[in-house]
Amino acid sequence: MANYVGAGTTAGGTSGAGLLPVTGGPGSVWFWIVVFVLVAAGCAALRLIPRKIRDDA
């Protein structure tokens, strides 16, 4: 008979370890990717908003 119990716990342990970087804190790569995307979207939004032209001249 084969021992399938050990194989199931090994597969479950390795899949859980693969999800740890996604759920990490500020040191996570995903955190810095989100920060970069939000800053880029904010800069793009500022370029799209029309500005008032001052009549000082």
Side-chain angles (χ1 to χ4, degrees), residues 22-52:
V22 177
T23 60
S28 175
V29 175
W30 293 110
F31 176 80
W32 295 111
I33 290 173
V34 169
V35 168
F36 175 76
V37 168
L38 288 175
V39 168
C43 290
L46 286 176
R47 293 187 69 173
L48 291 173
I49 298 172
R51 297 182 182 162
K52 284 187 173 182

